[in-house]
Every structure is written in C-alpha cells, then in structure tokens.
Amino acid sequence: MSMFNDTFSIAGVKIDKHNVAWESDVKRYRNPEDYLERPRTTWLHDLYPGIVSEEEGVKNEQFVAWMRPSALPRVIKRYGWINEELRPEKDLEITIQSEYPVEGFEGYKHLILTEMGIFGGRHNGFGYTLIFCGAVCMLLGTAVAVMA
C-alpha cells in the first residue's frame, strides 16, 4: 500500500487540511466494525503516524484524496488550503519533508500554490473550452432554428 506522505509547512502560515477530498469520497470509506480491536492488524495510522490519526483511520481526507483515481497520467492532488492573503512582497519559507518515493517509476513532484477562481484551480483552459463549446452549440442551434 502506498500513500503520498510528504508534508509541507510554510513559516507563519497555517495550512488547513480540511475539505481537501470530495464529500462523496469521504462517505465511501469506512473503518471496519472491529477497528482497533482486531489482533495482528496494521492500521493506516500505524503506517503513517503524524499524517493519519488513530481516530480518523480511513476517513482521513489526505488518504481519501490520494485514493481518488486520476483521469490523466499527471496526478494533481490537493494538499490543503491557505485561508489568508499572501502578498507578492512576502517571502515564503517552505519546508518540505519528502517521503514518497518516485525514483522507481521515474516520477517527479511539484508544489503548486494557486488560487481558486470561478472555474476552480489553475486549469482555466478547461473553463475556456466549456465556454467555447457552449458558444458553438448556441451558434449551431440558432442556425438550425433559422433554417427550419
């Protein structure tokens, strides 16, 4: 079993790790009825102490977000939220504890700081594509209506 277990911190900035997974995904995972009582069982909090708490188990949002399949080979997972304004003149001191191995499959990692917009994160191209397709559909619909 693998889980992205890198950790990030920004000096003087709180990273909120709540609401990083889809609510429907969080509901999908449940700890078994005999959670913490089954002998000779290694639980998620045993494998990733400091990341997954004993109380959460598989309800941990970092775990749930990691388990969501990616539609594309490029995997981008939300780590947390910064709920304060970061000014352009402010220097950020970011500490990264790199734990997840990527050498075995020639992978790489990036830390992306972005802001949420009307179309979501930094993927404005998808929003523009939807607007373009909508406009084309409107034009084609109008053309069909005029010809009829």
Side-chain angles (χ1 to χ4, degrees):
M1 172 189 230
S2 71
M3 180 174 138
F4 185 77
N5 56 341
D6 289 2
T7 57
F8 306 91
S9 64
I10 303 174
V13 177
K14 182 181 182 308
I15 300 175
D16 181 6
K17 296 179 186 172
H18 294 91
N19 298 318
V20 296
W22 293 14
E23 186 178 337
S24 60
D25 289 347
V26 174
K27 289 179 182 176
R28 177 179 301 149
Y29 293 98
R30 290 181 304 280
N31 291 310
E33 302 251 344
D34 59 347
Y35 180 59
L36 300 178
E37 297 171 6
R38 189 183 308 161
R40 297 184 315 274
T41 301
T42 303
W43 301 103
L44 200 57
H45 69 271
D46 296 322
L47 295 171
Y48 304 104
I51 296 174
V52 177
S53 72
E54 188 174 303
E55 296 80 34
E56 290 178 311
V58 297
K59 289 287 193 181
N60 176 277
E61 289 196 44
Q62 307 295 131
F63 170 72
V64 173
W66 179 249
M67 293 302 291
R68 179 157 193 75
S70 181
L72 303 171
R74 185 176 181 191
V75 178
I76 298 176
K77 303 289 182 170
R78 186 177 297 134
Y79 182 79
W81 301 94
I82 298 173
N83 295 318
E84 61 185 78
E85 185 175 347
L86 299 177
R87 303 228 177 254
E89 66 274 0
K90 182 177 182 176
D91 290 333
L92 298 178
E93 181 182 324
I94 300 173
T95 303
I96 300 172
Q97 184 67 37
S98 181
E99 300 287 341
Y100 188 76
V102 294
E103 297 80 19
F105 56 91
E106 298 180 17
Y108 56 92
K109 303 179 218 179
H110 291 273
L111 173 63
I112 302 169
L113 299 178
T114 186
E115 55 187 348
M116 297 296 286
I118 191 169
F119 298 121
R122 62 185 195 90
H123 303 287
N124 289 338
F126 181 64
Y128 296 141
T129 301
L130 290 176
I131 291 172
F132 175 76
C133 290
V136 169
C137 288
M138 290 280 288
L139 288 172
L140 290 173
T142 304
V144 168
V146 168
M147 291 180 0

